Amino acid sequence: MTMRSKKKRTALSAFSILYFILFTLAVLTWIIPEVRNATLGTIVMASYNGFADAVDVCFFIMVLSGFFNVVTKTGALNAGIAQLVKRFKGRELVLIPILMLLFSIGGTTFGMAEETIAFYSLITATMIAAGFDSLVGAATVLLGSGVGVIGSTVNPFAPGIAVDSINKSCRELGIAAEVNTGIVIMLGTVIWLTSLVIACWFVMSYAAKLKRDKGTTLLSTDEQRIMQEKFNTATTADAPIFTARMKITMFIVALSFAVMVIGVVPWTKFHITCFDSWSAFLTDTPLGSWWFGELAMWFFLMAIVISVINRLSERDTVEAFVEGSQGVMSVIFVIAVARGASVLMGQTGLDKYILEHAAQALQGMPAGIFAPVLYLLYGLLSFVIPSSSGLATVSMPIMGPLAYKLNHNPAVMVMIFTSASGLLNLFTPTSGVVMGGIAISGVEYRTWLKFMGKVLGILFITTVFILTGAMLIL
């Protein structure tokens, strides 16, 4: 059964939404006397400054898209996806929890977020070939990694930085106390697994309904057209033979992603030093310290390797790589504008103003009220500062000592911050991961909000209930 034609709707583009937010924030700086006023130049240069601030991510996305286009040129990607779908014929739904579990492990252990940009094209194409739509593909990646971040356990970029910041600020203020990391890990595990079950149930329910009736898709007519044009993935009926060379190519693709994950996990924070010396030969930076520059050049080298194995000419390789890079320019501009809003708030001091006044409002609250109000507060702050590590760095020296003074458990407060910021970063338009990821999958922001509404409400209620109970008991 084909997807029913839905009424064509006019929706604001991601650019319009982000610029509206940008202008609104600029207006606020003129209303609030304690912050620096945003000038016309601040507004005009916000997108450029956002691009400069996110240039490493943008370069990585360009190279990665070029890499994928070279792989596509070989025919191995379509054949490999078709082979995978054929193997799971009649059990396509099983792919969803398996992939979401893997992404969630990345989220809970090292805060996998920007790194997921690498997977949107591949996973979306796979889900479409399996009979679902691009929303299922985007949700598998974004919601999968996101619930892991919501329930971060040993993630050094969220609870890790938060704990260190609280302990440091308490020492400086003469407060003889330290955050209990055991409580952080225990709560993180409970929230991670609970959220993962909810997210898998939600995505699988939508996918199963879509499998029964394609007309239940939430995609607009334009989005369905983009899905069919952009992800013209081979089916099991028309897929080419999966040759030995194609198998080698897909092995290299899998190896490339495995090295990417190994490269960004901060092994030294887990006291693992086996990558310290020998692995720096390729980029002058050892595995475990890689970031987007190293990752980009790794995929660039792998594109060349794949080209050689498949005997592509120099001309075909360059054309495929450039064509792939050109295809994500709109995604890069979305990320630049999204980051520009955060840069503007930092330049004007609006972010610190909101944080300091919010901390004052929490004074004297009992635990049962403190926990849910703090959760809502960190949701707001995450809109202002989408980076969890950045938010932890600027907020915990204020919030940590406050928790001690109010006799609340700071370990629970760390998880309130982690869960609230993780939840908001599943849909906030100021996040380059959200806007960039759904753009790669060909999903409009309005559609994403409509799709996510129910599960966000369930996750919010569940996590607030767990954390409020923990704040009252611990």
Side-chain angles (χ1 to χ4, degrees):
M1 185 181 292
T2 59
M3 291 187 179
R4 290 193 203 116
S5 176
K6 291 185 176 284
K7 184 178 179 181
K8 189 173 182 178
R9 65 186 183 220
T10 302
L12 288 176
S13 68
F15 293 106
S16 297
I17 293 170
L18 289 169
Y19 272 113
F20 175 77
I21 292 171
L22 189 66
F23 293 140
T24 301
L25 293 171
V27 170
L28 285 176
T29 66
W30 284 85
I31 297 173
I32 301 171
E34 290 91 341
V35 303
R36 293 184 296 277
N37 295 340
T39 65
L40 178 61
T42 306
I43 299 170
V44 170
M45 294 301 292
S47 299
Y48 169 78
N49 291 330
F51 176 77
D53 194 54
V55 66
D56 52 352
V57 180
C58 295
F59 182 72
F60 170 67
I61 291 172
M62 287 175 59
V63 173
L64 184 70
S65 186
F67 164 83
F68 267 123
N69 214 43
V70 171
V71 177
T72 302
K73 184 80 174 178
T74 68
L77 187 61
N78 276 3
I81 290 173
Q83 190 72 15
L84 178 65
V85 173
K86 182 179 180 180
R87 179 165 293 184
F88 281 87
K89 185 71 174 176
R91 298 178 292 118
E92 293 88 352
L93 283 174
V94 177
L95 287 169
I96 295 172
I98 292 173
L99 292 170
M100 291 184 74
L101 172 63
L102 293 175
F103 284 120
S104 75
I105 291 172
T108 191
T109 54
F110 67 94
M112 191 177 195
E114 286 90 348
E115 301 87 348
T116 60
I117 293 291
F119 295 95
Y120 280 92
S121 275
L122 180 60
I123 300 301
T124 301
T126 302
M127 291 303 170
I128 292 170
F132 308 128
D133 64 12
S134 49
L135 263 173
V136 176
T140 299
V141 182
L142 184 50
L143 196 52
S145 61
V147 293
V149 174
I150 289 172
S152 291
T153 50
V154 293
N155 173 9
F157 304 110
I161 291 178
V163 169
D164 288 344
S165 297
I166 291 175
N167 290 342
K168 181 180 178 182
S169 62
C170 286
R171 285 194 298 270
E172 292 173 350
L173 294 171
I175 300 174
E178 283 197 352
V179 178
N180 187 327
T181 54
I183 293 177
V184 172
I185 294 173
M186 177 195 69
L187 270 177
T189 302
V190 171
I191 293 171
W192 165 40
L193 296 177
T194 303
S195 300
L196 177 62
V197 170
I198 293 170
C200 287
W201 163 79
F202 174 76
V203 178
M204 291 176 72
S205 296
Y206 173 79
K209 184 169 65 173
L210 192 65
K211 196 77 170 176
R212 292 191 299 268
D213 181 4
K214 301 292 185 184
T216 59
T217 181
L218 295 178
L219 298 178
S220 66
T221 303
D222 283 343
E223 288 169 306
Q224 292 180 42
R225 175 183 54 79
I226 291 170
M227 180 181 74
Q228 292 163 0
E229 292 175 355
K230 187 175 182 180
F231 299 101
N232 186 23
T233 309
T235 64
T236 55
D238 60 12
I241 297 173
F242 198 38
T243 64
R245 184 171 286 147
M246 288 178 175
K247 291 178 182 178
I248 294 172
T249 299
M250 294 310 296
F251 172 78
I252 294 173
V253 171
L255 176 65
S256 300
F257 282 103
V259 172
M260 182 194 80
V261 173
I262 294 170
V264 298
V265 174
W267 299 107
T268 54
K269 289 186 179 292
F270 306 131
H271 307 293
I272 297 174
T273 59
C274 58
F275 298 109
D276 280 3
S277 54
W278 66 270
S279 64
F281 76 96
L282 187 63
T283 63
D284 288 335
T285 304
L287 293 171
S289 300
W290 281 17
W291 202 229
F292 290 112
E294 291 82 6
L295 293 176
M297 297 317 299
W298 165 249
F299 279 103
F300 177 77
L301 291 174
M302 290 301 99
I304 295 174
V305 170
I306 287 172
S307 171
V308 171
I309 289 174
N310 288 273
R311 299 176 184 175
L312 296 180
S313 68
E314 181 270 345
R315 184 183 184 86
D316 287 343
T317 303
V318 172
E319 286 181 352
F321 190 88
V322 172
E323 181 184 356
S325 300
Q326 289 174 340
V328 291
M329 290 309 298
S330 61
V331 176
I332 288 171
F333 279 117
V334 164
I335 292 172
V337 180
R339 189 67 67 91
S342 298
V343 171
L344 181 143
M345 285 184 281
Q347 289 176 333
T348 59
L350 183 61
D351 50 359
K352 291 183 179 178
Y353 170 85
I354 294 173
L355 172 62
E356 291 169 359
H357 281 72
Q360 293 174 12
L362 292 171
Q363 295 280 0
M365 285 188 178
I369 298 175
F370 179 83
V373 171
L374 184 63
Y375 195 102
L376 291 171
L377 170 62
Y378 264 115
L380 172 64
L381 292 174
S382 297
F383 175 82
V384 177
I385 309 173
S387 167
S388 58
S389 57
L391 181 55
T393 301
V394 300
S395 70
M396 286 303 159
I398 299 172
M399 295 297 189
L402 175 64
Y404 278 115
K405 290 177 182 177
L406 297 176
N407 293 319
H408 299 324
N409 194 316
V412 180
M413 192 199 69
V414 167
M415 283 313 303
I416 290 174
F417 144 73
T418 301
S419 296
S421 62
L423 183 68
L424 194 92
N425 282 325
L426 290 174
F427 67 94
T428 176
T430 58
S431 168
V433 176
V434 172
M435 303 305 284
I438 63 175
I440 290 172
S441 294
V443 176
E444 294 175 359
Y445 183 63
R446 173 181 170 180
T447 305
W448 181 248
L449 289 182
K450 183 178 179 181
F451 173 75
M452 288 288 288
K454 182 178 179 180
V455 72
L456 287 174
I458 296 173
L459 288 172
F460 170 77
I461 293 170
T462 303
T463 51
V464 168
F465 178 80
I466 293 172
L467 291 165
T468 301
M471 187 64 84
L472 289 168
I473 296 169
L474 300 174

